[in-house]
Amino acid sequence: MSVQSIITNQKQKPFRFFIGYDTREDLAYEVCRYSILKRSSIPVEIIPIKQSQLRDQKLFWRERNKLESTEFSFTRFLTPYLAGYEGWAVFVDCDFLYLSDVKELYDLIDEKYAVMCVHHDYTPKESTKMDGAVQTVYPRKNWSSMVLYNCGHPKNKALSPEIVNKESGAYLHRFMWLDDEDIGEVPFVWNFLVGHNRVVDGDANSYPKAIHYTSGGPWFEAWKDCEFADLWLKELDEYKKVKEKEKCFECNGVENGVVIGA
């Protein structure tokens, strides 16, 4: 099925993004969300994956492992379930900054795959990341940090709450519920790993469309001077100005409990 057919069939349903939320990285989430909405030329819906909410809903109950660097290390795999096993949806870590229109990402969708992602060959140099979390090394590392899920694909029905709560990190992060041919590839610029991927002079195809501050971003003191920190800080400043304008609009629009102009 062509992308145009998908669009027609879904009647312009929003492109869904499930963003992993961590209480330590609220600003990272807000900036990631803002960067997507700001540049998108198609309707998008953004849903934070919050572990506390999933626990309240009895959808997530496994104990936290000391090797889990974020609150969404496992909850990310509930994306197809949360999407109702229907259509396509993206899971993305909150430590991303989008620099391009996500319609370009949507246009990469190929119905023959169960998932699509960047096929990184990544071995981190650091032993810790972010605010002191243990840096782990395993096959297909960072593949699961940004995934396009074909939520209606029969094999993704395996990602039930029961499976996500009991299976190992190796099983889930290596996509072991799938065969290799079920995993489509996305250009690396959509999950450009700071400190690993490189921009090649004169090669526009090497410039990031989505930056991933995988070891830590400038919202952490230890990473305030990391590569591409200036782009994230500029986006943060813009996000804050927009929020302030919205706040002022709300204050000016309501006076003594009465909506002005109503």
Side-chain angles (χ1 to χ4, degrees):
M1 183 183 294
S2 68
V3 170
Q4 185 58 49
S5 296
I6 296 170
I7 292 175
T8 301
N9 290 343
Q10 294 191 350
K11 297 181 180 179
Q12 292 293 338
K13 287 184 179 179
F15 192 20
R16 294 169 295 177
F17 279 77
F18 289 82
I19 302 179
Y21 183 88
D22 192 297
T23 50
R24 300 166 303 163
E25 300 183 273
D26 178 72
L27 264 184
Y29 164 79
E30 293 292 353
V31 172
C32 178
R33 176 181 181 275
Y34 175 76
S35 71
I36 293 170
L37 293 172
K38 168 187 170 182
R39 296 171 174 85
S40 181
S41 64
I42 59 174
V44 294
E45 179 183 7
I46 296 179
I47 307 101
I49 292 186
K50 295 187 175 183
Q51 187 182 126
S52 59
Q53 292 179 352
L54 295 173
R55 288 189 182 278
D56 289 344
Q57 295 165 5
K58 311 299 182 187
L59 295 175
F60 191 73
W61 56 85
R62 73 186 296 158
E63 293 184 11
R64 184 160 183 175
N65 185 296
K66 63 181 181 180
L67 294 179
E68 293 175 44
S69 59
T70 67
E71 295 172 14
F72 49 85
S73 292
F74 284 100
T75 55
R76 71 183 70 218
F77 297 105
L78 289 170
T79 295
Y81 174 87
L82 295 173
Y85 296 117
E86 184 178 82
W88 283 81
V90 176
F91 170 83
V92 63
D93 288 4
C94 64
D95 54 356
F96 271 65
L97 174 67
Y98 280 81
L99 302 179
S100 293
D101 185 349
V102 294
K103 181 183 183 300
E104 297 176 37
L105 183 62
Y106 186 89
D107 288 343
L108 297 175
I109 286 175
D110 190 327
E111 286 287 314
K112 72 182 180 183
Y113 296 117
V115 301
M116 300 180 70
C117 64
V118 176
H119 293 190
H120 286 298
D121 181 9
Y122 174 59
T123 302
K125 300 173 184 176
E126 309 88 359
S127 59
T128 61
K129 63 179 182 177
M130 296 185 288
D131 56 351
V134 175
Q135 178 71 275
T136 55
V137 179
Y138 52 86
R140 292 181 172 174
K141 185 172 178 65
N142 260 314
W143 287 30
S144 63
S145 59
M146 196 284 293
V147 184
L148 286 84
Y149 282 98
N150 185 354
C151 300
H153 193 286
K155 289 189 178 180
N156 286 331
K157 292 287 180 66
L159 294 179
S160 64
E162 291 72 24
I163 292 297
V164 171
N165 277 280
K166 79 173 184 179
E167 281 293 353
S168 67
Y171 177 87
L172 294 167
H173 285 279
R174 299 178 197 175
F175 303 144
M176 293 176 69
W177 73 93
L178 300 172
D179 296 315
D180 289 352
E181 58 266 27
D182 298 320
I183 307 170
E185 188 166 5
V186 172
F188 79 94
V189 290
W190 285 104
N191 188 347
F192 189 101
L193 303 179
V194 173
H196 174 69
N197 294 124
R198 292 282 179 260
V199 175
V200 178
D201 287 342
D203 182 4
N205 292 325
S206 69
Y207 193 79
K209 293 180 180 292
I211 297 172
H212 185 187
Y213 300 88
T214 181
S215 294
W219 53 94
F220 290 123
E221 180 64 24
W223 296 93
K224 65 181 181 179
D225 297 319
C226 68
E227 188 181 13
F228 298 112
D230 58 327
L231 296 182
W232 190 90
L233 291 169
K234 180 180 178 183
E235 198 85 2
L236 172 64
D237 184 58
E238 187 176 309
Y239 159 74
K240 287 182 174 179
K241 289 178 180 177
V242 169
K243 291 297 290 184
E244 189 61 32
K245 285 182 180 178
E246 290 175 354
K247 185 178 179 180
C248 290
F249 177 79
E250 291 172 1
C251 292
N252 293 333
V254 178
E255 187 174 297
N256 297 324
V258 178
V259 178
I260 298 172

